[in-house]
Every structure is written in C-alpha cells, then in structure tokens.
Amino acid sequence: MIDRMGDWLLAVAAEMPFETDWESSLKGSWYLSPRRHIVEFLIYNSVFVYTTLYFYRRALSPGSPISLLFQSYVPPAKKSKIEITVMITLATSLMITVYQKWTRGGMLYLLQPCHMSAMLLIVILSGPKNKKWPHILLNIYFHIMWGTMLALLAPDLRDYNLFFEIENFFIEHYLLLLVPVYMIWSNRYVIWPVSMDVALMSFSLFALYHSMILSTMALLKGQNLNYLLMPPPGPLQSFGRWYRPVMYAFCVLLTMTRYILIEVVIQILPRRKVLPIEKEMADGDGKAKRKIL
C-alpha cells in the first residue's frame, strides 16, 4: 500500500531530479524517496496534530496559571504612536520582500517561517488587545524565535541577487527579534510564565506547519521550502535520509531557548506605564470595575 502511495506521489508531485543540486537552495529533488515522504508525512502529522491539541488543552485549561492571568488582565488604551511606527516599519520590510519574491517569481517562498513570522507579528500588533488570540499568538511566537536567530547566525544567501535583497534580509530578521522586545516593554500583552505545556504546544504547532503545509507545497511545486526536500549544507547532511527526524528533535531543544534568552529579556526589561482601555469607574459599592478577558 505504501509503495502504491509513493507511486501516486511521484505522479502528482512536481517534476524533480533524483540527483540533488547543492548549488541552489531553492530547487527541490527526490533526496528522500516518494515512499519515505509518504511514511514521514503520515507519522509526523498524526503526532503533531495530537500533541498540539493535547498541550493546548493542558496549557489553557480553566484554572491554569495562564487562564488566571487572563482573568486579571486589564486591556490597555489605544495604540501609541510608537506601536504604529513599529508596525509600519515591519510591514514596509515585508512589502519589500513581497516585491522581491514577485520579481523573481518566487511568491511561494513567502510561506517560509520568517516571512510568516513577520505577518504574524503585524497581525498581533494590529489585533484587539481585549481579545485572547493576540496574546496567545505572541507567547507562541516567543518559543519559535530561535528560527530567526539561526537564520542570522548562518544566513543562506545563495540565491539572493536582487537590489537591496541581502540588506532587507537582515533588516527583516533583526526586526523579528527587536519587535517582540518592544512588545514586552509596551506592557500591552499578557506574558505567560514558564510552562513546559506551552513550549511543547508551540513546537508542535510549528512542526505541524512544516509537516503539513510546507511539506505539501514543497512537493507540489518542487521547491525546497525550509529544507523539507533536502538538507542545507552543514551538519544535517551527515545524517543522510534521517535528517528530518534529527531536525525536528533539534527543534524541540531550540524551543526551550524561550526559557533562557527570552526569559532574561522578560525579567530584566522595564515596562512602560499604560492606561487601561476603559478608565476604572467606581460602582455603587465603591469598587473599581475591571474589563477582563
């Protein structure tokens, strides 16, 4: 059955060579056999769907420390000029990226995690702070910021040749690190405490995005989206056909950097004073009314 599914995948996927071209970071190949793609697709997605739902329920269950934080949270006043400026700056860098991808005919690469992270931060910044979802997304993002750090430590610029493309690469990635620091300082978001449930939920969701969406699009378009068709030059190549399980296992460890690098920033960074979204008004008992999530 798996062999037949592998034959089917070979028929529906983009035409790709079986020999890998290591000179390009974009072109895909059958570095992994169609049969292996099928097996890993079924295993990864089954595991990551289950673990995402399981740890989400544990992290945000009624009575959990995180749910109690939401109950005591007072939504802040309207966006400051600083926040609007930050959002415009990030959106400008992203629009430059979109234009560059469109010029090259590589719009598919906007699905890369770093570009999706830029979109995610813009959505969080523009989202209503009296709703839970911007806070949930931001705290998930804290756990996957290591991807941006790796991109800056070992940038893969093999196919960057357009005007201002390399410069915008670094601008975008530094913004992906600095904007969350601003968001912590702004005191407009619920910052969650250390939680292994949240860490594993965040990793599972990030991994699921890779195994379900990026992997599917990579095969259909024949493009090596975030190295899901073949490994990048470096240590992962030494694991051969097992590089993807090793990559996912390594990502679990990197997710824990939230509790080292990001936690340091959270603990030492001062907070900006903000006004609540509604001024507290004394009720008949003389108690202040608080708008809670």
Side-chain angles (χ1 to χ4, degrees):
M1 180 179 176
I2 296 296
D3 289 333
R4 289 199 299 271
M5 294 175 70
D7 293 338
W8 169 81
L9 177 60
L10 188 60
V12 300
E15 184 176 346
M16 295 185 291
F18 282 86
E19 293 295 327
T20 299
D21 178 11
W22 298 107
E23 294 299 319
S24 173
S25 64
L26 305 180
K27 297 176 182 177
S29 71
W30 289 111
Y31 180 82
L32 302 178
S33 69
R35 184 180 186 278
R36 189 177 185 98
H37 275 288
I38 290 291
V39 171
E40 291 193 9
F41 182 88
L42 294 174
I43 293 174
Y44 294 150
N45 286 297
S46 299
V47 171
F48 296 147
V49 166
Y50 173 79
T51 54
T52 298
L53 296 175
Y54 175 77
F55 289 112
Y56 176 83
R57 294 190 188 103
R58 283 177 56 95
L60 296 173
S61 61
S64 68
I66 292 173
S67 66
L68 295 177
L69 279 177
F70 278 129
Q71 291 178 18
S72 61
Y73 172 71
V74 180
K78 65 180 182 179
K79 294 180 179 63
S80 67
K81 292 181 180 179
I82 299 176
E83 184 148 336
I84 294 172
T85 302
V86 168
M87 188 165 53
I88 291 174
T89 303
L90 185 57
T92 300
S93 176
L94 180 60
M95 288 301 100
I96 293 173
T97 299
V98 171
Y99 173 75
Q100 291 168 339
K101 301 299 183 188
W102 176 78
T103 300
R104 179 182 284 113
M107 293 291 282
L108 182 67
Y109 280 85
L110 290 174
L111 293 175
Q112 293 278 65
C114 287
H115 305 318
M116 294 301 294
S117 293
M119 297 179 202
L120 179 67
L121 288 176
I122 292 170
V123 169
I124 295 171
L125 286 164
S126 60
K129 305 307 178 285
N130 60 338
K131 302 294 184 182
K132 288 184 178 180
W133 62 262
H135 309 277
I136 293 174
L137 292 177
L138 177 61
N139 282 275
I140 290 174
Y141 179 72
F142 285 152
H143 292 80
I144 61 175
M145 287 176 62
W146 53 265
T148 300
M149 300 175 194
L150 285 183
L152 287 171
L153 287 172
D156 187 351
L157 305 173
R158 284 176 290 175
D159 295 281
Y160 282 63
N161 50 29
L162 297 178
F163 173 73
F164 198 64
E165 192 170 18
I166 293 178
E167 292 83 354
N168 190 53
F169 170 90
F170 287 103
I171 290 172
E172 179 186 37
H173 285 76
Y174 279 117
L175 284 172
L176 293 179
L177 294 181
L178 295 175
V179 170
V181 174
Y182 159 77
M183 296 165 86
I184 296 169
W185 170 82
S186 72
N187 207 19
R188 290 169 53 82
Y189 300 89
V190 179
I191 308 300
W192 295 350
V194 171
S195 167
M196 186 59 68
D197 291 329
V198 175
L200 294 175
M201 174 192 73
S202 302
F203 161 74
S204 299
L205 191 60
F206 184 71
L208 184 62
Y209 175 71
H210 280 72
S211 64
M212 182 174 289
I213 297 176
L214 287 186
S215 177
T216 300
M217 296 306 298
L219 288 167
L220 291 177
K221 298 298 183 179
Q223 299 293 304
N224 190 29
L225 289 175
N226 218 33
Y227 309 113
L228 285 170
L229 297 184
M230 57 193 190
L236 281 177
Q237 285 183 328
S238 62
F239 293 97
R241 270 50 181 176
W242 293 94
Y243 85 93
R244 291 206 299 191
V246 173
M247 183 169 65
Y248 283 124
F250 187 51
C251 290
V252 175
L253 299 177
L254 290 173
T255 301
M256 304 306 163
T257 58
R258 153 66 176 87
Y259 302 120
I260 303 173
L261 302 176
I262 309 302
E263 189 64 22
V264 170
V265 175
I266 290 172
Q267 294 300 324
I268 69 174
L269 193 69
R271 301 295 195 274
R272 180 172 180 252
K273 292 182 179 180
V274 295
L275 294 174
I277 197 169
E278 296 178 356
K279 291 184 178 180
E280 295 186 344
M281 300 175 60
D283 59 20
D285 299 326
K287 296 179 180 179
K289 294 181 180 178
R290 297 169 70 87
K291 184 179 179 62
I292 62 176
L293 296 183

